[in-house]
Amino acid sequence: MTRIQLLVAAVSQDTGALPQKMNIQSDAIIVNQKMAYSFEQKDFNGNEIRIFNCDEKGVGLSRNLALLRADHELVQFCDEDIVLDDGYTALVMKEFDDHPEADMIMFNVKASEGRVTYHNTDFAKVGYLNYGRYPAYAIAARRERLHEAGVTFSLLFGGGAKYSNGEDSLFIKDCLDKGLRIYRSPVEIGHEIVERPSTWFDGFNDKFFFDRGVLYHFLYGKLAVPMCLRFLLKHKEEVCSQMPVSKGFAIMKKGVHSVSMQNIGKEG
């Protein structure tokens, strides 16, 4: 048994081919959605691969199902479109062994062109000012600390959910709120390949701005509206190329104010 357990969120994948395609070199749990219910356990190059097929949808649900079943010292979140580097297990273990103060470490995973949100150049602490840039597939953590803190991914946000992306940022914020010590690392462990359309992004349209407003309510609370304006001004050339900033801001505010804690808060 390896010290690391890879937690893979997949949709309609050939799980017989996926370990080879992703270059999995550790034990793994794969949750494969939009499939008939089944469970399979197989050996892949000496690693235990546990596969749960299910017909639900929502990336947050997949990650929660895998995390709930995780039982190794270290867990590493991953997606079906990530190819891991040879020797990634040794790199991840060394960082945790070298930094016993870290409960969670954000590693470099090279994104496809046009999708880059972060690149770590040093080992440093991650806090409330810089946590929002990291995708779930950058995260590795001490499994016991996640289970002790009781953190889970939101079922409201991300591919297959009611609202667009953001489940990863909400998860990291929850970890910070629960006192987990999070660090970033310059170590690179894989790269992204894009073989299918995004499960959540359909352009900078009304839904994009509305959903981001809802997300900002949960991320920033009373600061949600000014953070909406900050986002629009900072990324004006990209996100407002087909819509005036004033209209995008109005739609984002509508998303912020649409949230009812009595109704929506119970779903996340």
Side-chain angles (χ1 to χ4, degrees), residues 4 8 19 27 32 41 57 75 79 84 89-90 97-98 105 110 112 142 146 161-162 169 175 193 232 238:
I4 296 174
V8 182
D27 291 349
N32 192 30
Q41 184 168 307
K57 63 179 183 177
V75 292
D79 291 340
L84 296 155
T89 56
D97 289 343
D98 288 349
I105 300 177
K110 188 177 180 181
S112 299
R142 300 186 194 275
L146 297 184
K162 181 176 182 179
S169 296
C175 289
I193 52 171
L232 290 167
E238 180 185 6

Side-chain angles (χ1 to χ4, degrees), residues 67-174:
L67 180 57
L68 232 110
R69 292 165 170 79
D71 53 10
H72 286 35
E73 176 190 349
L74 303 172
V75 292
Q76 179 180 337
F77 294 99
C78 205
D79 291 340
E80 65 188 50
D81 54 359
I82 301 298
V83 177
L84 296 155
D85 292 343
D86 286 337
Y88 71 89
T89 56
L91 294 173
V92 171
M93 288 188 296
K94 184 177 187 305
E95 283 295 87
F96 278 99
D97 289 343
D98 288 349
H99 299 283
E101 74 277 15
D103 298 318
M104 178 183 292
I105 300 177
M106 309 299 194
F107 289 88
N108 278 330
V109 177
K110 188 177 180 181
S112 299
E113 189 175 350
R115 289 167 54 89
V116 178
T117 60
Y118 80 103
H119 179 72
N120 303 326
T121 58
D122 59 358
F123 191 91
K125 199 155 191 179
V126 172
Y128 287 102
L129 296 179
N130 62 349
Y131 74 89
R133 68 188 67 179
Y134 293 102
Y137 57 71
I139 300 172
R142 300 186 194 275
R143 191 263 310 166
E144 280 194 4
R145 291 292 291 120
L146 297 184
H147 284 176
E148 287 169 359
V151 290
T152 58
F153 286 85
S154 172
L155 304 184
L156 284 170
F157 295 89
K162 181 176 182 179
Y163 299 104
S164 306
N165 73 321
E167 82 290 344
D168 36 18
S169 296
L170 287 164
F171 179 76
I172 298 167
K173 179 182 182 296
D174 195 17

